[in-house]
């Protein structure tokens, strides 16, 4: 009887130690979750107020003489253009095609970037990157100043901002991998990698594959043949 009583007391102490350990772990987890939530809220406030820390390396360098091309939405949707079998509305595909041609870049490249950046999700948002073309918040102010884009979650304005950046980078660098690296990393970071002999990344390879994929579609050939005469 005495032995059994001692064993019971030992078990009780062991159970008490387990309860305390579990309680401490849960407490630490809750504290960490609370602090992480506060950090995310603070980051979100910084993003919304456009006060996140920025560096020159993260910014696409603006052009000195911007030339905005305005595509009339209502006219665009009435144009008879072939579309791709992708998760993007026919209207937005038409808008993308005409905007790309107006900025003198290939629609296939725009769709390839769009596929990589957002998977054609018009509401895509991730860590300060907005919309179909994932335009980073760092670039919002100069894009607003240069081409008048004010709502980066508006699909059409977002597409125009992406086309404008791609057009500008294509004019500067020509090489598709350099263009894509600069689009993805910012020109400063891309230039640093080029100095180190790195001329392509996983991102640029993937987008280039998508680009070749879009170019191979019969739709692309029809688009190229029929777009020029539809641009005012």
């Amino acid at each position: 009887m005495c032995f059994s009583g001692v064993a019971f007391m030992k078990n009780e102490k062991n159970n008490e130690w387990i309860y305390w350990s579990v309680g401490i772990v849960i407490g630490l987890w809750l504290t960490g979750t609370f602090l992480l939530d506060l950090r995310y809220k603070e980051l979100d406030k910084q993003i919304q107020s456009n006060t996140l820390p920025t560096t020159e390396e993260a910014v696409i360098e603006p052009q000195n003489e911007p030339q905005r091309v305005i595509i009339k939405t209502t006219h665009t949707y009435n144009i008879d253009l072939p579309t791709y079998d992708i998760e993007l509305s026919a209207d937005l595909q038409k808008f993308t095609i005409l905007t790309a041609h107006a900025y003198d870049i290939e629609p296939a490249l725009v769709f390839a970037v769009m596929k990589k950046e957002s998977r054609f999700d018009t509401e895509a948002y991730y860590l300060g990157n907005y919309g179909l073309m994932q335009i980073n918040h760092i670039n919002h102010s100069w894009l607003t100043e240069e081409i008048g884009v004010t709502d980066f979650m508006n699909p059409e304005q977002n597409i125009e901002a992406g086309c404008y950046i791609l057009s500008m980078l294509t004019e500067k660098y020509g090489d598709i991998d350099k263009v894509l690296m600069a689009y993805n990393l910012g020109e400063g970071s891309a230039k640093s990698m080029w100095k180190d002999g790195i001329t392509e990344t996983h991102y640029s390879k993937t987008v280039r594959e998508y680009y070749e994929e879009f170019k191979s579609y019969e739709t692309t050939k029809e688009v190229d043949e029929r777009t020029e005469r539809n641009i005012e």
Side-chain angles (χ1 to χ4, degrees):
M1 291 293 294
C2 182
F3 179 79
S4 298
V6 171
F8 176 76
M9 288 177 67
K10 285 183 177 178
N11 286 335
E12 220 176 27
K13 287 182 179 179
N14 286 338
N15 289 338
E16 186 177 343
W17 180 84
I18 291 171
Y19 294 149
W20 272 103
S21 299
V22 171
I24 290 170
V25 170
I26 292 173
L28 289 171
W29 178 77
L30 289 173
T31 302
T33 302
F34 175 73
L35 292 173
L36 190 60
D37 184 60
L38 284 179
R39 178 56 180 157
Y40 280 146
K41 286 180 179 177
E42 180 61 27
L43 282 172
D44 189 60
K45 286 180 182 177
Q46 290 179 324
I47 289 170
Q48 296 302 324
S49 60
N50 203 28
T51 57
L52 276 177
T54 63
T55 64
E56 290 184 1
E57 291 190 350
V59 181
I60 302 295
E61 298 168 7
Q63 290 200 113
N64 294 325
E65 299 179 0
Q67 292 185 352
R68 186 182 188 190
V69 179
I70 299 174
I71 302 296
K72 296 179 181 178
T73 302
T74 53
H75 176 67
T76 299
Y77 292 170
N78 290 327
I79 289 176
D80 179 26
L81 282 176
T83 55
Y84 297 94
D85 184 20
I86 56 177
E87 297 296 318
L88 188 69
S89 72
D91 287 343
L92 286 177
Q93 287 192 51
K94 292 176 185 178
F95 182 85
T96 301
I97 291 164
L98 292 181
T99 305
H101 274 281
Y103 279 113
D104 200 25
I105 52 176
E106 294 180 78
L109 179 60
V110 182
F111 285 123
V113 171
M114 200 181 291
K115 180 177 179 179
K116 175 62 177 174
E117 292 287 353
S118 66
R119 293 286 170 179
F120 307 112
D121 181 1
T122 58
E123 298 181 358
Y125 171 83
Y126 181 72
L127 295 179
N129 298 289
Y130 292 70
L132 287 164
M133 303 295 286
Q134 289 291 276
I135 309 298
N136 190 275
H137 72 98
I138 296 172
N139 297 307
H140 289 190
S141 59
W142 71 262
L143 283 167
T144 297
E145 183 179 342
E146 292 203 358
I147 62 173
V149 173
T150 56
D151 183 357
F152 288 87
M153 289 304 290
N154 175 282
E156 292 174 356
Q157 293 189 46
N158 189 277
I159 290 166
E160 182 176 5
C163 286
Y164 182 75
I165 292 173
L166 285 171
S167 174
M168 185 177 65
L169 294 174
T170 300
E171 186 177 345
K172 281 186 178 181
Y173 304 114
D175 179 77
I176 188 170
D177 283 294
K178 286 189 174 183
V179 168
L180 294 172
M181 286 177 68
Y183 187 94
N184 177 231
L185 301 168
E187 291 187 80
S189 295
K191 287 175 182 177
S192 295
M193 295 183 76
W194 300 336
K195 286 180 181 178
D196 293 334
I198 302 171
T199 56
E200 62 179 16
T201 60
H202 176 71
Y203 176 92
S204 71
K205 289 179 184 178
T206 302
V207 177
R208 187 157 26 87
E209 288 173 5
Y210 292 156
Y211 167 63
E212 294 298 335
E213 180 184 316
F214 275 105
K215 284 183 69 176
S216 70
Y217 293 156
E218 282 300 315
T219 301
T220 302
K221 297 173 185 176
E222 293 180 50
V223 165
D224 290 339
E225 289 172 1
R226 294 161 61 183
T227 302
E228 291 299 331
R229 63 174 177 267
N230 284 308
I231 297 178
E232 291 184 339

